[in-house]
Amino acid sequence: MDITDNKENMTEAPVLLSVRGLVKSFDGKTVLDGIDLDVRQGEVVVIVGPSGCGKSTLLRCINALEPIQGGEVLLDGQKIEKDGKNLTAIRQKIGMVFQSYDLFPHLTVLDNITLAPQKVQKRPRREAEEEAISLLKRVGLEGKAGSYPRELSGGQKQRVAIVRALILHPEVMLFDEVTAALDPEMVREVLDVILQLARQGRTMLIVTHEMQFARAIADRVIFLDEGHVLEDLPPERFFTEPGTERAKNFLHMFEFEAVR
Amino acid sequence: MPDLGLNVLLKGKNMQRLLSGLWTAMRISLIAVAISMPLGILLGVLMTKKNPVVRAVLRVYLEFIRIMPQMVLLFLVFFGTTGAFGWNLSGELSSIIVFSLWGTAEMSDLVRGALISIPKHQYESSEALGLSRSQTFAYVIIPQTVRRLIPLSINLITRMIKTTSLVLMIGVVEVLKVAQQIIEANRMASPNAAFGIYLTVFLLYFIVCWPISMLARRLEKKWKD
């Protein structure tokens, strides 16, 4: 799991995704208050923070699923706007996987995966299906192409959801608490797929509660609290000597002291 | 075996008359279904829109039709419009109007229910995959809605067919009315005919509605998520 070695020159890589002064509020209540964040090509950024801190909202704003009230989000220098003209084109460059998998229940696994390549990217069915099968193989699900989502376990559904995003060849992947709804024994199979993607040098933004996973995969850890970025550190520093009291308290929640 | 008066059926053109009565009932319900389904879909979609005026108007319409017994609606359209507007609507036309109003209202509520039962995440994950609004509806939302809707609307159709037995009250000669006429005409010769004739009517309704119900059940099973 040597994923940091080839990333010595991360600071040299060009910035792929850029969030500038992002403000998001729901009904007058500010959830994100001036977020600045740069993600470089090939970087894995993990966002952690207490529940309700706005980390999922941040991912949703990046993909323009939520309208924003201030600031801007740029991908490859192109502005992502909720009602922008080129939104469909930019969205193909962003792959998103949600907590609740959200496969289409009326379509088979194969059709779930090949719908967007055929309809959005206008790729021929045969080519899309071939790529779908080879991606399914990589996540260990080659036998499930003809199954319906209801026939799969949670972990299998989530792996299909990852493949469904990957087949569009996104430049950046967003993972929104993808293991939070899974039974514990299925968490690993999904995280392994994400680790595999990290090894391939994919650019990813990951919201998670799995701290050990965060530590293993992250190039940078962002600690978000009450709508602000409080920490932006390499994982080894964040987990051993975070700069703020709040981050310390947050990390403390994941530790248990011996009763005896 | 008690005399059920089934021999009355074989007298003259009695069976043929019953069947033509059944056809009248079917004609009314089929025309009403053909009108209600598309209108109901349209109104159901409108009911999920945010416009408060449209929603309020449709809500009032739905509640009004639901609360009114169908018989009262039939009287209102058949007798009421003659008095109030001087219209002279035939019984069959009045029946078609009432059943269309009723079917549209019920159908729109089924459509609304099916549409709002599609989780928000289905829209969002389609959006995140880059599907446009119309592609999302065409490939994701409508196929799922239709799967939920078809068994329910088939049940509505059987309810509409059965409820046409009320239209004899405004003088439409449908299957039940024919049955009454036959029983009445044979009161002296076969006083027991009522049971046999009504049993036949029951069987006729059953033959029409049962296959439709079975189809609904089969589709429901097939599309269970």
Side-chain angles (χ1 to χ4, degrees):
Chain A
M1 211 180 296
D2 220 14
I3 51 177
T4 43
D5 276 5
N6 54 354
K7 292 188 177 173
E8 289 299 310
N9 302 324
M10 192 58 80
T11 45
E12 310 293 320
V15 171
L16 187 62
L17 180 78
S18 185
V19 178
R20 298 257 155 274
L22 188 144
V23 177
K24 168 71 197 172
S25 52
F26 290 107
D27 303 324
K29 187 175 171 290
T30 305
V31 185
L32 296 172
D33 191 7
I35 303 284
D36 290 303
L37 175 65
D38 279 340
V39 181
R40 291 175 184 279
Q41 183 95 47
E43 207 172 16
V44 178
V45 175
V46 172
I47 305 170
V48 298
S51 57
C53 71
K55 48 197 194 301
S56 288
T57 307
L58 176 57
L59 287 196
R60 295 167 57 82
C61 289
I62 289 174
N63 205 3
L65 286 174
E66 298 282 351
I68 58 178
Q69 279 70 46
E72 58 182 9
V73 181
L74 302 165
L75 181 72
D76 281 339
Q78 270 183 302
K79 203 166 167 184
I80 306 175
E81 283 172 298
K82 179 117 176 94
D83 297 311
K85 274 191 197 135
N86 52 355
L87 183 60
T88 311
I90 300 181
R91 277 229 175 100
Q92 293 168 45
K93 299 183 183 178
I94 308 174
M96 184 153 184
V97 184
F98 299 85
Q99 179 179 334
S100 46
Y101 352 115
D102 307 314
L103 298 181
F104 305 130
H106 62 297
L107 299 178
T108 61
V109 165
L110 189 64
D111 289 341
N112 260 281
I113 300 170
T114 57
L115 178 68
Q118 287 182 76
K119 302 302 173 191
V120 180
Q121 298 182 325
K122 312 289 178 204
R123 285 154 63 181
R125 170 183 285 270
R126 169 177 271 250
E127 184 263 331
E129 286 183 350
E130 275 165 15
E131 185 174 0
I133 298 288
S134 85
L135 285 170
L136 280 173
K137 235 173 238 166
R138 277 188 9 215
V139 301
L141 290 175
E142 60 270 38
K144 298 289 183 190
S147 303
Y148 282 90
R150 62 175 176 274
E151 299 160 345
L152 304 182
S153 72
Q156 291 172 330
K157 281 187 226 181
Q158 199 56 290
R159 283 182 279 159
V160 172
I162 294 172
V163 167
R164 187 173 68 173
L166 284 177
I167 198 168
L168 297 172
H169 308 140
E171 292 178 17
V172 55
M173 288 285 286
L174 310 178
F175 290 94
D176 186 8
E177 302 197 36
V178 290
T179 57
L182 295 179
D183 289 335
E185 70 269 25
M186 292 172 184
V187 168
R188 184 67 200 225
E189 64 191 49
V190 174
L191 295 185
D192 278 342
V193 170
I194 304 176
L195 282 167
Q196 192 189 322
L197 295 175
R199 271 184 227 119
Q200 292 160 8
R202 289 227 170 236
T203 313
M204 301 195 277
L205 256 168
I206 302 171
V207 168
T208 185
H209 287 295
E210 304 284 338
M211 290 303 145
Q212 289 187 338
F213 169 69
R215 195 167 185 164
I217 201 171
D219 295 310
R220 276 159 63 202
V221 177
I222 306 281
F223 177 66
L224 210 60
D225 194 14
E226 291 177 357
H228 297 274
V229 174
L230 292 191
E231 310 263 351
D232 183 349
L233 293 170
E236 46 290 359
R237 274 201 57 207
F238 176 76
F239 286 104
T240 51
E241 40 175 345
T244 61
E245 207 51 42
R246 285 209 213 147
K248 274 180 200 152
N249 289 338
F250 172 74
L251 287 172
H252 196 64
M253 291 191 304
F254 296 90
E255 284 161 21
F256 292 93
E257 277 156 36
V259 181
R260 282 176 280 215
Chain B
M1 179 151 168
D3 176 20
L4 297 179
L6 286 169
N7 56 324
V8 172
L9 281 175
L10 303 173
K11 269 203 225 159
K13 291 187 169 175
N14 281 353
M15 193 63 209
Q16 207 181 324
R17 286 174 61 205
L18 270 182
L19 286 176
S20 90
L22 182 69
W23 170 239
T24 304
M26 294 299 296
R27 194 168 57 223
I28 292 170
S29 37
L30 288 181
I31 295 174
V33 164
I35 295 170
S36 321
M37 295 291 137
L39 275 183
I41 290 170
L42 181 70
L43 296 194
V45 171
L46 288 178
M47 281 167 116
T48 63
K49 298 284 175 215
K50 295 220 168 67
N51 188 324
V53 180
V54 173
R55 281 171 71 153
V57 169
L58 292 174
R59 198 76 227 163
V60 169
Y61 166 63
L62 177 64
E63 294 299 328
F64 177 81
I65 298 285
R66 278 225 173 131
I67 288 167
M68 283 275 245
Q70 275 95 39
M71 186 105 80
V72 178
L73 273 175
L74 283 170
F75 286 170
L76 191 69
V77 171
F78 184 65
F79 299 117
T81 57
T82 312
F85 310 109
W87 298 349
N88 192 11
L89 303 176
S90 74
E92 192 167 330
L93 182 59
S94 306
S95 310
I96 290 171
I97 292 172
V98 168
F99 278 82
S100 301
L101 285 172
W102 175 50
T104 302
E106 294 283 351
M107 185 67 189
S108 68
D109 203 39
L110 294 181
V111 170
R112 186 193 64 88
L115 276 174
I116 60 172
S117 73
I118 307 288
K120 189 173 133 235
H121 288 127
Q122 291 286 315
Y123 292 89
E124 285 188 342
S125 52
S126 312
E127 210 181 317
L129 288 170
L131 293 171
S132 68
R133 194 82 188 148
S134 55
Q135 286 174 329
T136 301
F137 272 93
Y139 303 118
V140 179
I141 306 302
I142 291 175
Q144 290 185 59
T145 313
V146 167
R147 276 168 171 74
R148 283 167 207 226
L149 204 54
I150 283 186
L152 298 174
S153 41
I154 290 178
N155 285 333
L156 174 62
I157 292 172
T158 56
R159 270 164 65 210
M160 287 172 75
I161 293 174
K162 284 185 288 188
T163 315
T164 53
S165 56
L166 291 178
V167 303
L168 70 94
M169 298 302 292
I170 55 168
V172 178
V173 185
E174 47 67 76
V175 60
L176 203 56
K177 185 73 195 172
V178 175
Q180 286 182 347
Q181 288 171 346
I182 294 174
I183 293 162
E184 201 61 30
N186 294 281
R187 175 155 300 233
M188 294 303 164
S190 315
N192 292 332
F195 192 81
I197 299 293
Y198 285 137
L199 188 69
T200 311
V201 171
F202 164 79
L203 286 175
L204 289 176
Y205 274 116
F206 184 80
I207 290 167
V208 171
C209 292
W210 189 66
I212 304 179
S213 295
M214 289 306 287
L215 179 68
R217 198 179 304 170
R218 179 176 291 187
L219 291 176
E220 204 161 6
K221 209 177 242 175
K222 188 177 156 197
W223 287 332
K224 214 172 91 191
D225 296 329

